[in-house]
Amino acid sequence: MHLFLGGRDIARPLLAAAELDETVRYVQYFCWHIATIMLAFLAAGFAIAGVDSTFVALAQAATLLSGLIATLGLGIPLCVAEITYRQMPQGWLFVPVTLLGALGLIAG
C-alpha cells in the first residue's frame, strides 16, 4: 500500500513540487524510501518469526520498531506540529501492529 498507492499520492507530487527546494524534495524522497524499507522489514520480521520461532528476535525487533514509530507518529501532531490526527493519522496505523506483535511475543 505504501509503495504503490502512497507513491502515486505522495512521492510523485513531492518530486513535482517545484516550490520546494531541490534538497528538501530529494531528502524527503529518500525518507519515503527508508519508510518503504522499514515497512518491508516489519512484515518480513513478523512473517519469518511466525514460521520459525527460532527467529523470535526478529519479532521483538519489529515490535519495538513499530512501537517507536507509533510513538513518534502520535507525538508529532500533538507536540510538534500542532495538527490533528485527521491531518496526520499515520501513527495510528502502527498501534495495532505493535499491540499484536506484543501479544504474539507474550503468547509465543
Side-chain angles (χ1 to χ4, degrees), residues 45-46 49-50 55-64 101-102 105:
F46 285 127
F55 290 99
V56 69
L58 288 176
Q60 292 169 334
T63 302
L64 176 62
L105 289 169

Side-chain angles (χ1 to χ4, degrees), residues 46 62-68 70 93-103:
F46 285 127
T63 302
L64 176 62
L65 180 60
S66 180
L68 292 170
L93 297 173
F94 292 91
V95 172
V97 174
T98 304
L99 293 175
L100 290 171
L103 285 173

Side-chain angles (χ1 to χ4, degrees), residues 37-96:
I37 292 166
M38 296 303 287
L39 290 169
F41 170 80
L42 288 175
F46 285 127
I48 293 167
V51 171
D52 185 345
S53 64
T54 61
F55 290 99
V56 69
L58 288 176
Q60 292 169 334
T63 302
L64 176 62
L65 180 60
S66 180
L68 292 170
I69 294 169
T71 302
L72 181 66
L74 295 176
I76 286 176
L78 292 180
C79 303
V80 178
E82 298 180 4
I83 60 176
T84 67
Y85 289 128
R86 179 171 284 212
Q87 294 167 290
M88 189 179 165
Q90 295 86 346
W92 288 106
L93 297 173
F94 292 91
V95 172

Side-chain angles (χ1 to χ4, degrees), residues 11 15 19-20 22 24 30 36 48 52 82 87-88 103:
L15 287 176
E19 68 276 8
L20 293 176
E22 185 177 72
V24 171
F30 174 68
T36 301
I48 293 167
D52 185 345
E82 298 180 4
Q87 294 167 290
M88 189 179 165
L103 285 173

